Amino acid sequence: MSVLLTVKSENEIDSWPVSIRAVYARITERIVGFGPNLGMPFTRSMGDGLFEIRAKGREGIGRAF
């Protein structure tokens, strides 16, 4: 399994604060190893195979689909 990003998505995630990007990186590593259905607080199913990644850091929360 791999995590694919568009250039626009990658640029948006790169603009997140460091602590949120670090959590995002750990979550995406877990997705590669175990699949996207990690459950809360890491991912949330939005239906039809779409999952929201929920990265929470000191500065707030970053969410990506």
Side-chain angles (χ1 to χ4, degrees):
M1 170 160 286
S2 62
V3 177
L4 303 174
L5 297 174
T6 64
V7 173
K8 186 175 181 179
S9 297
E10 191 171 357
N11 290 338
E12 178 66 27
I13 292 166
D14 286 345
S15 73
W16 290 354
V18 173
S19 69
I20 297 173
R21 283 192 320 235
V23 173
Y24 175 82
R26 287 194 298 274
I27 293 171
T28 56
E29 287 173 5
R30 287 183 182 193
I31 289 171
V32 170
F34 301 105
N37 194 12
L38 300 176
M40 296 292 280
F42 306 113
T43 63
R44 179 178 179 192
S45 175
M46 304 305 286
D48 294 328
L50 179 65
F51 288 84
E52 175 187 38
I53 298 172
R54 305 166 61 92
K56 185 175 182 182
R58 288 185 306 262
E59 295 91 348
I61 300 172
R63 295 184 178 175
F65 290 96

